[in-house]
């Protein structure tokens, strides 16, 4: 953490619009009113362990009951100690005894337009076969398996098969390079990789197998590589090491007796970036993790038996783990999975998919929403989106103007929007509206879920008054919290449990609560600028810029400034039809001054066609900061999605 002195963090975003739940929606929702929500919160506060146990009993199928709900030796938490269950049984086998047996589990659409669906019975058979294959290839409980796949059903099958036998999976996003894959395999000491020959992205083939070949040339722990045939293009197969998935699956048995697995067994490792260069392998547990996935999927998405649910995240990110695979499947939901880009072949691909499958719940990221805004209303307007009943966002603060567009153009002003705050480390959603109960405000993730002790504090751990900015922490352990950083428990302690006293978990985010107690996440604290002694969230200035009619997207960074400490540089991409000019630059500066105040007025506005982003869609402010301060980029660009965007900006220097 760069600077923990955030007790005077100033917040200038003053969003006044509110949206109360529609009574017809509330009447049918799992949580129907604010009174119900408050009763749940009070019950959880009275006895948190009892609260979580009740849900654990009701929502999960156990093979052995736990002896102790929580063993908390800060920073190490163990939940449901002594209990045992199998995650794959919870996601699959238990549905086979009901009508869900023949219910569609996965509705898959490939980027080229191929379609496939799997019922729960079919998905179960696939997972059993792969569990048998993995065991034959020498993968045992506790071994690590790397999964490097396109967004195809086999990615979920691989995760569930690992879970079934107690192998800890490490999904590496298919957009990562061979080097990134190699480092992650080596850090985890994975024994086997599940991959595909390739995947489709914007009409081209992502050469997954070739990347695996380059990576495993330098990973001594890998013994076998399983390859799904997806694209059919020619790939090298090394005899003895590489196996075609369809070959080994053809002879595998479709029955498999799932072992009983301890609550605290590591279900998966997922690598995420920290402030240092080395990615952190966040480790999640079996029972506590699954519990929060199921509970939040049910309450936040108000999931019902008849819903068709689509979370657009890739399984390479935590959202794909918790809200494509584990949460929805454990609830027996029908999940849409789409392989490719939202603008392939045209910018209406998502809306076409929603209309085709009659999607009722749609969960995506603000960065995608801003792209949709930029592409124009005509694309969603071509399609029938009347099946939608609930919308969600995750990944970064959503600018109120993007929220309003989502509400109006996609939600037809009828769908509640759940802005869900959480992190790789939290495993599941922590702060979000309950759609039948909570009045929403554009840009706020509203209120913590029951049982989640979220607070805004100063660097000493003291709560700050409503209206003041501070540091976002979680006061008590929760079931789906990270258990450790793989191979480096000390780093886990340093990163999350050392900046703020009191054995509290520090999220790394800055936030404030408004007069109603609503949470407004202002972004990472290292994205907070100190301008002439005033602290401003970069996101707030960005929101102001995005509320200008010409702006599609904006990223704000600081650069050293002799007089003010930090100067503000805004990188801005414009909507179609808007023209780059000095007048517009001045206009934007004035606009920010008007929206927030002179303190937030950008010193420099720079126009760009596209902002440099990670493959998960996060703007790489670090690169922009370097560019803004020194005019060059020396840092690591391996996670950059589109290098050309950056090159262009550099050329303009
Ligand atoms: O800064 C917060 C932001 O994303 C961070 C977590 O990123 P990651 O671990 O990649 O997980 C993303 C998906 C859960 C948080 O520390 N963030 C995530 N959701 C929101 C958000 N910021 C504001 N509002 C959100 N809804």
């Amino acid at each position: 953490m760069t600077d923990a002195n955030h007790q005077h963090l100033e917040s200038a975003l003053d969003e006044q619009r509110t949206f109360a739940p529609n009574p017809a929606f509330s009447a049918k929702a799992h949580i129907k009113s604010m009174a119900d929500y408050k009763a749940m919160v009070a019950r959880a506060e009275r006895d948190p362990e009892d609260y979580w146990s009740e849900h654990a009993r009701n929502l999960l199928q156990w093979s052995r009951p736990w002896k102790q709900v929580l063993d908390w030796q800060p920073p190490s938490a163990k939940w449901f100690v002594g209990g045992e269950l199998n995650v794959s049984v919870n996601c699959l086998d238990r549905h086979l005894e009901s009508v869900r047996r023949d219910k569609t589990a996965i509705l898959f659409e490939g980027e080229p337009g191929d379609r496939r669906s799997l019922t729960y019975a079919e998905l179960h058979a696939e997972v059993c076969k792969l569990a048998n294959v993995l065991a034959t290839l020498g993968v045992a409980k506790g071994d690590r398996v790397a999964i490097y796949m396109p967004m195809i059903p086999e990615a979920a099958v691989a995760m569930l098969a690992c879970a079934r036998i107690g192998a800890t999976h490490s999904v590496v996003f298919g957009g990562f390079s061979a080097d990134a894959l190699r480092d992650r395999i080596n850090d985890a000491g994975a024994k086997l990789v599940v991959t595909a020959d390739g995947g489709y992205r914007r009409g081209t083939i992502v050469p997954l197998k070739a990347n695996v070949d380059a990576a495993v040339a330098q990973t001594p722990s890998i013994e076998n590589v399983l390859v799904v045939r997806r694209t059919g293009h020619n790939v090298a197969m090394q005899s003895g090491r590489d196996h075609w998935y369809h070959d080994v699956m053809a002879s595998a048995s479709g029955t498999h007796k799932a072992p009983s697995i301890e609550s605290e067994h590591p279900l998966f490792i997922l690598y995420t970036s920290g402030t240092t260069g080395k990615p952190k392998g966040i480790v999640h547990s079996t029972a506590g993790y699954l519990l929060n996935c199921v509970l939040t999927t049910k309450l936040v998405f108000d999931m019902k038996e008849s819903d068709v649910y689509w979370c657009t995240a890739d399984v390479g990110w935590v959202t794909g783990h918790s809200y494509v695979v584990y949460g929805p499947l454990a609830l027996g939901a029908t999940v849409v999975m789409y392989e490719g880009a939202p603008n392939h072949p045209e910018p209406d691909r998502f809306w076409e998919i929603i209309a085709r499958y009659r999607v009722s719940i749609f969960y995506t990221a603000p960065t995608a929403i801003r792209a949709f805004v930029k592409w124009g209303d005509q694309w969603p307007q071509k399609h029938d989106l009347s099946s939608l009943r609930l919308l969600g966002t995750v990944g970064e603060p959503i600018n109120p103007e993007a929220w309003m567009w989502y509400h109006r153009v996609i939600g037809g002003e009828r769908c509640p929007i759940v802005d869900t705050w959480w992190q790789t480390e939290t495993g599941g959603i922590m702060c979000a509206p309950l759609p039948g109960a909570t009045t929403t405000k554009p840009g706020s993730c509203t209120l913590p879920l029951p049982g989640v002790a979220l607070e805004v504090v100063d660097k000493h751990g003291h709560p700050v008054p409503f209206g003041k900015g501070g540091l976002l922490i979680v006061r008590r352990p929760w079931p789906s919290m990270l258990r450790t950083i793989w191979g480096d428990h000390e780093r886990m302690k340093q990163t999350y449990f050392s900046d703020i006293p009191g054995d509290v978990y520090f999220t790394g985010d800055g936030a404030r609560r408004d007069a109603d107690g609503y949470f407004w996440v202002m972004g990472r604290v290292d994205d907070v600028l100190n301008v002439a002694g005033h602290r401003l969230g970069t996101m707030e200035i960005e929101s102001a810029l995005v509320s200008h009619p010409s702006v599609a997207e904006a990223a704000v960074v600081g650069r050293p400034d002799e007089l003010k400490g930090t100067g503000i540089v805004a990188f801005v991409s414009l909507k179609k039809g808007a023209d780059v000019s000095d007048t517009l630059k001045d206009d934007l500066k004035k606009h920010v001054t008007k929206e927030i105040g002179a303190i937030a007025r950008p010193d420099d506005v720079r126009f760009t066609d596209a902002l440099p982003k990670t493959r998960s869609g996060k703007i790489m402010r670090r690169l922009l900061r370097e560019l803004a301060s020194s005019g060059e980029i020396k840092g690591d660009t391996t996670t950059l999605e589109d290098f050309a965007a950056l090159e262009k900006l550099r050329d303009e220097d």
Side-chain angles (χ1 to χ4, degrees):
M1 188 174 136
T2 44
D3 178 6
N5 187 21
H6 283 266
Q7 64 267 53
H8 302 303
L9 197 72
E10 284 182 14
S11 177
L13 190 67
D14 187 20
E15 177 57 54
Q16 300 289 351
R17 289 168 287 205
T18 60
F19 295 83
N22 175 330
F25 187 102
S26 300
K28 293 190 200 146
H30 290 303
I31 307 297
K32 299 182 186 347
S33 67
M34 211 46 197
D36 289 357
Y37 163 77
K38 284 183 178 156
M40 261 178 109
V41 170
R43 187 244 187 278
E45 290 308 303
R46 263 195 318 274
D47 190 342
E49 293 184 24
D50 190 57
Y51 170 81
W52 292 113
S53 319
E54 184 186 323
H55 287 302
R57 270 193 303 275
N58 293 339
L59 293 171
L60 301 181
Q61 182 175 309
W62 295 82
S63 40
R64 181 187 287 255
W66 60 88
K67 295 201 172 72
Q68 186 185 0
V69 182
L70 171 65
D71 174 5
W72 176 226
Q73 318 278 340
S76 309
K78 291 185 184 151
W79 283 88
F80 309 112
V81 185
E84 291 180 3
L85 52 68
N86 185 294
V87 167
S88 151
V89 167
N90 273 272
C91 291
L92 302 169
D93 304 48
R94 67 165 157 167
H95 305 315
L96 304 188
E97 290 143 30
S98 71
V99 285
R100 287 192 189 139
R101 183 182 180 84
D102 298 316
K103 180 177 175 180
T104 303
I106 295 179
L107 279 168
F108 167 72
E109 180 158 319
E111 197 186 71
D114 53 318
R115 292 171 205 150
R116 219 178 347 145
S117 72
L118 286 134
T119 63
Y120 272 94
E122 288 164 343
L123 183 60
H124 173 260
E126 288 293 296
V127 169
C128 286
K129 279 188 197 175
L130 187 58
N132 287 322
V133 166
L134 291 174
T136 312
L137 292 172
V139 178
K141 184 177 169 198
D143 287 342
R144 275 79 59 209
V145 171
I147 298 175
Y148 184 65
M149 298 277 269
M151 272 298 280
I152 56 176
E154 287 79 2
V157 171
M159 292 163 76
L160 290 162
C162 288
R164 194 164 185 96
I165 62 172
T168 300
H169 61 67
S170 164
V171 183
V172 179
F173 175 55
F176 276 132
S177 65
D179 286 359
L181 174 63
R182 175 199 60 204
D183 294 346
R184 284 159 178 73
I185 288 174
N186 284 334
D187 189 76
K191 243 181 153 172
L192 183 143
V193 191
V194 187
T195 189
D197 47 1
Y200 294 101
R201 186 83 191 168
R202 279 197 193 90
T204 61
I205 289 177
V206 183
L208 296 171
K209 177 59 167 61
N211 289 345
V212 169
D213 290 341
V216 301
Q218 296 169 41
T219 59
S221 58
I222 293 291
E223 295 169 4
N224 291 286
V225 179
L226 272 180
V227 189
V228 175
R229 182 171 280 157
R230 167 71 189 131
T231 56
H233 74 290
N234 237 340
V235 294
M237 294 292 280
Q238 184 175 310
S239 128
R241 185 196 70 185
D242 300 350
H243 316 270
W244 283 110
Y245 180 92
H246 56 266
D247 282 347
V248 288
M249 290 288 275
S251 52
S253 158
T255 54
H256 178 270
K257 189 169 161 15
S260 178
I261 298 199
E262 302 81 13
S263 297
E264 280 298 308
H265 185 70
L267 177 65
F268 67 85
I269 306 169
L270 184 60
Y271 287 86
T272 183
S273 322
T275 43
T276 66
K278 190 176 183 287
K280 302 177 282 203
I282 303 299
V283 177
H284 278 290
S285 71
T286 289
Y289 168 78
L290 186 65
L291 171 63
N292 208 32
C293 288
V294 183
L295 180 63
T296 51
T297 306
K298 182 172 169 186
L299 299 186
V300 178
F301 299 114
D302 191 45
M303 188 77 86
K304 305 279 173 50
E305 200 61 53
S306 56
D307 276 310
V308 177
Y309 164 89
W310 184 20
C311 163
T312 65
D314 190 284
V315 289
W317 311 114
V318 73
T319 309
H321 285 59
S322 304
Y323 299 109
V324 176
V325 179
Y326 292 116
L329 295 181
L331 278 179
T334 295
V335 175
V336 172
M337 226 176 155
Y338 167 60
E339 178 187 29
N343 55 351
H344 188 86
E346 297 284 356
D348 62 344
R349 188 64 184 269
F350 276 17
W351 321 126
E352 192 188 21
I353 290 174
I354 289 174
R356 176 173 312 115
Y357 300 105
R358 305 292 298 155
V359 170
S360 56
I361 301 174
F362 179 65
Y363 188 31
T364 196
T367 184
I369 297 168
R370 291 193 299 266
F372 303 144
V373 174
K374 187 173 173 183
W375 295 336
D377 298 9
Q378 72 275 21
W379 297 106
Q381 277 163 3
K382 278 171 63 177
H383 299 277
D384 173 10
L385 305 180
S386 63
S387 57
L388 289 171
R389 69 177 196 91
L390 185 141
L391 304 174
T393 74
V394 61
E396 56 178 315
I398 180 163
N399 323 81
E401 289 318 314
W403 194 104
M404 289 303 300
W405 182 90
Y406 200 31
H407 168 71
R408 192 169 44 79
V409 181
I410 306 306
E413 299 184 355
R414 109 195 137 257
C415 302
I417 296 180
V418 292
D419 174 348
T420 63
W421 178 90
W422 60 296
Q423 310 176 295
T424 304
E425 293 87 341
T426 68
I429 297 169
M430 303 289 275
C431 192
L434 296 182
T438 317
T439 292
T440 55
K441 303 184 186 186
S444 169
C445 56
T446 73
L447 297 164
L449 296 184
V452 173
L454 203 63
E455 290 180 27
V456 181
V457 301
D458 62 22
K459 66 176 175 176
H460 307 293
H462 304 310
V464 299
F466 286 2
K468 285 276 176 208
L471 305 168
L472 190 63
I473 60 127
V474 189
R475 176 81 58 199
R476 285 196 307 265
W478 65 102
S480 63
M481 69 190 281
L482 81 162
R483 295 303 193 260
T484 189
I485 291 176
W486 182 260
D488 199 348
H489 200 57
E490 183 54 30
R491 187 174 175 201
M492 133 104 170
K493 188 172 173 201
Q494 281 305 322
T495 311
Y496 306 106
F497 287 93
S498 64
D499 285 313
I500 299 166
D503 291 329
V504 299
Y505 168 83
F506 175 44
T507 64
D509 281 350
R512 77 179 162 98
R513 302 184 71 174
D514 67 16
D516 299 323
Y518 276 42
F519 285 73
W520 296 77
V521 174
M522 300 159 80
R524 307 293 303 183
V525 287
D526 30 22
D527 286 339
V528 172
L529 307 178
N530 186 335
V531 181
H534 296 269
R535 286 160 190 264
L536 291 161
T538 49
M539 175 261 164
E540 297 181 299
I541 307 172
E542 288 161 13
S543 276
L545 287 162
V546 173
S547 72
H548 186 281
S550 300
V551 175
E553 202 165 24
V556 166
V557 297
R559 71 167 177 218
D561 183 285
E562 265 183 22
L563 278 180
K564 300 194 286 184
T566 305
I568 300 170
V569 181
F571 292 86
V572 168
S573 71
L574 298 179
K575 284 190 190 149
K576 251 209 308 273
D579 283 329
V580 167
S581 69
D582 283 344
T583 322
L584 182 57
K585 264 189 194 184
D586 278 345
D587 254 348
L588 292 180
K589 290 181 185 177
K590 279 191 202 128
H591 184 70
V592 175
T593 307
K594 182 175 122 297
E595 292 284 304
I596 303 182
I599 183 67
R601 185 177 200 272
D603 298 280
D604 195 359
V605 174
R606 297 170 62 169
F607 296 113
T608 169
D609 286 345
L611 294 165
K613 290 188 184 164
T614 64
R615 296 183 182 100
S616 64
K618 281 205 199 316
I619 295 169
M620 296 188 74
R621 289 193 178 71
R622 179 173 55 77
L623 299 183
L624 292 175
R625 265 197 299 271
E626 282 183 47
L627 201 60
S629 335
S630 66
E632 21 172 358
I633 296 184
K634 297 201 195 81
D636 176 23
T637 53
T638 49
T639 54
L640 188 65
E641 154 99 291
D642 178 7
F643 201 76
L646 195 64
E647 284 292 293
K648 249 189 164 158
L649 275 170
R650 199 197 324 241
D651 286 345
E652 279 172 19
D653 256 294

